[in-house]
Amino acid sequence: MTERKRALITGITGQDGSYLAELLLEKGYDVFGIVRRTSHHGLARIDHIVDRLTLLPADLLDQHSLTVALQQSTPHEVYNLAAQSYVPTSWSQPVLTGEFTALGVTRMLEAIRLAHPTARFYQASSSEMFGKVTETPQKESTTFYPRSPYGVAKAYGHWITVNYRESYNLHAVSGILFNHESPRRGIEFVTRKVTDGVARIKLGLATELRLGNLDAHRDWGFAGDYVDAMWRMLQLDEPQDFVIGTGVTHSVRELVEQAFGHAGLDWQKYVKLDPAFIRPAEVDLLLADPSLAKAKLGWTPTVGFAELVAMMVDADLARPRAG
């Protein structure tokens, strides 16, 4: 009888962590998740599977706690999905963003190197590292030009992962994931802000939706597809970094049109432009070239843009509300 595989996930209570935990449970893994004692998010996203998980208290700011979590779980695979992941917050809390999103990666890699060096490590890199893009579409060799403290911190996390792979021979990879969304997306992100706003207006709970730059373009996919790519990366014999995206870009305006249209509403009657939501330095266009992932991982997205937006609007319309 073969040994059951074990995986340790940081950020298990987040959007990606919850979908990844589901995927790994389906594949027969024993799944361990790191949770912060001070986390305010609770377990809502994993509530339906929490009795099948082993949750361990640890924090990316605390090296010792990560080492203990590794010793307790002895995982075959470690997925580092935890971060301060909201770009606007990185402007108001740049140092904290660096501590979690940059140095937190180093602490986890150090813990693996010292306590459990056979584990395979996945780092959640981000298309925000490309920032002010130097070429379109963006692929694995595209130069990074981050335009926010979050993007800068993610670039550090990416390169420290490369550094530990090359210096200590760890099986460590980065997935450079473009924007990926779902009904579990945090309300602060623009996709969910739009679909929740549509639902509130449709239900008579709001009369307007205030947004910033409608001309920013993003490559949006479904989070459930993207966690499958993460898993596939760690199954390769040789560690390699991959860009993950749909290869199709849409503007925030298209997102708004799609979401309001799905609910039978005219977006122009409700959307108000608000300068407060404009970034100090904007990322205008992100578009993935996922051809390497398709060729080497056999990965392609299964959910298109219109289907994704409809899924999110329907979920927000059905969500219980106090008012």
Side-chain angles (χ1 to χ4, degrees):
M1 183 175 170
T2 57
E3 182 186 19
R4 283 168 64 95
K5 289 184 90 171
R6 295 180 301 281
L8 178 64
I9 303 172
T10 74
I12 195 168
T13 60
Q15 169 188 254
D16 293 8
S18 64
Y19 280 110
L20 178 62
E22 288 174 348
L23 178 77
L24 296 177
L25 287 171
E26 287 173 14
K27 293 183 180 295
Y29 279 63
D30 289 331
V31 179
F32 297 80
I34 284 179
V35 290
R36 296 169 63 208
R37 283 289 187 220
T38 55
S39 178
H40 298 299
H41 297 298
L43 306 178
R45 293 187 182 94
I46 56 171
D47 198 44
H48 60 296
I49 54 171
V50 72
D51 59 338
R52 300 167 62 196
L53 306 171
T54 303
L55 300 180
L56 304 173
D59 196 306
L60 286 180
L61 302 186
D62 181 14
Q63 177 85 51
H64 176 70
S65 69
L66 298 176
T67 302
V68 171
L70 280 164
Q71 291 169 334
Q72 291 175 326
S73 56
T74 60
H76 299 87
E77 298 167 6
V78 176
Y79 296 86
N80 184 43
L81 310 185
Q84 192 299 101
S85 60
Y86 185 44
V87 174
T89 298
S90 77
W91 294 104
S92 59
Q93 298 184 331
V95 176
L96 184 68
T97 298
E99 284 286 355
F100 276 114
T101 307
L103 293 179
V105 186
T106 316
R107 293 185 190 101
M108 180 54 89
L109 284 164
E110 268 294 277
I112 290 171
R113 181 177 77 85
L114 295 170
H116 193 52
T118 59
R120 296 187 174 195
F121 176 76
Y122 172 87
Q123 165 59 14
S125 287
S126 167
S127 59
E128 288 284 333
M129 300 187 306
F130 295 125
K132 188 176 180 180
V133 299
T134 57
E135 64 178 343
T136 298
Q138 293 88 52
K139 51 185 182 287
E140 287 78 10
S141 58
T142 301
T143 304
F144 297 149
Y145 194 146
R147 296 267 282 172
S148 67
Y150 171 76
V152 172
K154 278 293 187 183
Y156 177 100
H158 179 88
W159 284 118
I160 201 69
T161 300
V162 172
N163 193 255
Y164 270 66
R165 177 169 73 218
E166 295 177 350
S167 302
Y168 300 118
N169 203 31
L170 294 183
H171 192 112
V173 306
S174 282
I176 306 173
L177 270 55
F178 282 63
N179 294 65
H180 44 289
E181 319 297 323
S182 75
R184 300 180 195 173
R185 189 59 141 154
I187 198 74
E188 65 273 21
F189 292 88
V190 69
T191 46
R192 184 70 202 295
K193 180 179 178 181
V194 168
T195 62
D196 178 72
V198 166
R200 290 179 63 81
I201 290 168
K202 184 72 173 179
L203 297 171
L205 301 173
T207 57
E208 66 175 24
L209 176 62
R210 305 183 80 85
L211 295 171
N213 181 12
L214 298 185
D215 296 317
H217 282 69
R218 294 292 184 271
D219 182 331
W220 279 300
F222 173 52
D225 286 337
Y226 286 44
V227 299
D228 176 56
M230 298 175 189
W231 175 80
R232 289 173 186 245
M233 276 183 231
L234 286 193
Q235 310 316 305
L236 293 182
D237 291 334
E238 292 297 320
Q240 186 174 356
D241 304 327
F242 288 91
V243 160
I244 302 297
T246 68
V248 181
T249 190
H250 296 276
S251 67
V252 176
R253 182 175 280 101
E254 289 175 80
L255 165 68
V256 168
E257 290 172 349
Q258 192 77 39
F260 276 87
H262 182 71
L265 298 171
D266 177 0
W267 71 274
Q268 291 175 315
K269 292 180 180 177
Y270 304 101
V271 173
K272 304 286 188 292
L273 299 184
D274 188 338
F277 296 113
I278 302 290
R279 294 184 187 182
E282 182 58 83
V283 174
D284 298 312
L285 172 64
L286 293 175
L287 175 61
D289 175 1
S291 53
L292 186 66
K294 183 176 182 179
K296 298 201 74 169
L297 300 175
W299 180 86
T300 52
T302 66
V303 177
F305 178 70
E307 185 183 351
L308 173 63
V309 175
M311 176 199 307
M312 292 178 66
V313 171
D314 289 343
D316 276 324
L317 283 169
R319 209 175 293 270
R321 293 172 184 275

